[in-house]
Amino acid sequence: ELRLVAKANGGVAHVPTNDPERAELGHWCTYQRHLEKNRKLRPDRKKRLLEIGFVFDEDTWDQSFEELRLFAEGNGGVAHVPQRDSGRLELGIWCRVQMASEKIGDLRPDRKARLLGIGFDFNPHEAAREHSSEKRRLDAEADDGGGVADAPTTEQDLPSSHVSTH
């Protein structure tokens, strides 16, 4: 049954304990997490669960998400942790893992939606490259005489509709 759940969820075997249709399976999954947390889950069983996309770290993901949400709130809605932010190194690593997971299609849709909901940018480097490219283009236009250099410098250079009559 867990394999069917994983197949339906894009390779992620996640069953919440509050799922009324799968309550028994949800409790079994919780027990597997408990065994793994206490290092009592047999290695072969853990390997089989991981192979079908079983999620062991629910609490950790939610805690990191909440930390990122609070970070974004305090930074004008920007949910991007700079790689060199030594005070938030673990959160920065967690963010990079989310970006990599999304890139290869391993990020659960519900998690992706939550991240997008707080303004998470899955490709901040692309946005920075686009900004840099646009800046270079504008600078080149200005150097070629197509930018600010062509701006009117006196009222006589302005069209009559822009000249003040005061």
Side-chain angles (χ1 to χ4, degrees):
E1 187 178 357
L2 192 56
R3 287 181 198 271
L4 294 174
V5 169
K7 190 173 185 176
N9 289 329
V12 178
H14 173 69
V15 180
T17 55
N18 62 356
D19 182 341
E21 295 177 17
R22 295 189 175 99
E24 191 174 322
L25 181 59
H27 290 293
W28 182 85
C29 290
T30 299
Y31 182 65
Q32 301 312 302
R33 288 185 191 96
H34 170 77
L35 290 174
E36 196 273 334
K37 183 178 180 180
N38 293 303
R39 300 174 193 240
K40 293 183 179 180
L41 185 63
R42 291 189 343 238
D44 62 315
R45 180 168 286 180
K46 181 176 180 177
K47 182 179 181 227
R48 288 177 57 204
L49 288 169
L50 287 170
E51 285 172 352
I52 62 168
F54 189 80
V55 179
F56 281 103
D57 64 346
E58 276 304 297
D59 294 337
T60 303
W61 195 94
D62 286 334
Q63 288 169 355
S64 295
F65 174 81
E66 184 60 17
E67 186 179 348
L68 180 63
R69 188 188 67 73
L70 292 172
F71 175 85
E73 255 180 34
N75 286 289
V78 177
H80 174 69
V81 181
Q83 290 184 356
R84 292 181 175 83
D85 187 338
S86 60
R88 292 185 178 80
L89 184 61
E90 286 184 25
L91 185 59
I93 292 169
W94 182 84
C95 288
R96 286 192 300 278
V97 168
Q98 304 316 300
M99 288 182 236
S101 296
E102 193 273 338
K103 185 175 184 177
I104 63 171
D106 280 350
L107 185 63
R108 287 185 6 209
D110 62 313
R111 288 181 172 180
K112 182 176 181 177
R114 287 177 68 190
L115 288 165
L116 289 171
I118 62 166
F120 188 78
D121 184 358
F122 283 98
N123 202 348
H125 304 296
E126 183 64 31
R129 275 193 296 276
E130 286 174 11
H131 176 72
S132 244
S133 176
E134 179 66 8
K135 185 176 180 330
R136 282 192 304 275
R137 186 186 68 74
L138 291 172
D139 288 347
E141 280 181 10
D143 290 343
D144 292 341
V148 177
D150 286 346
T153 55
T154 67
E155 273 192 16
Q156 293 172 338
D157 295 333
L158 288 171
S160 59
S161 61
H162 289 81
V163 177
S164 171
T165 57
H166 298 12

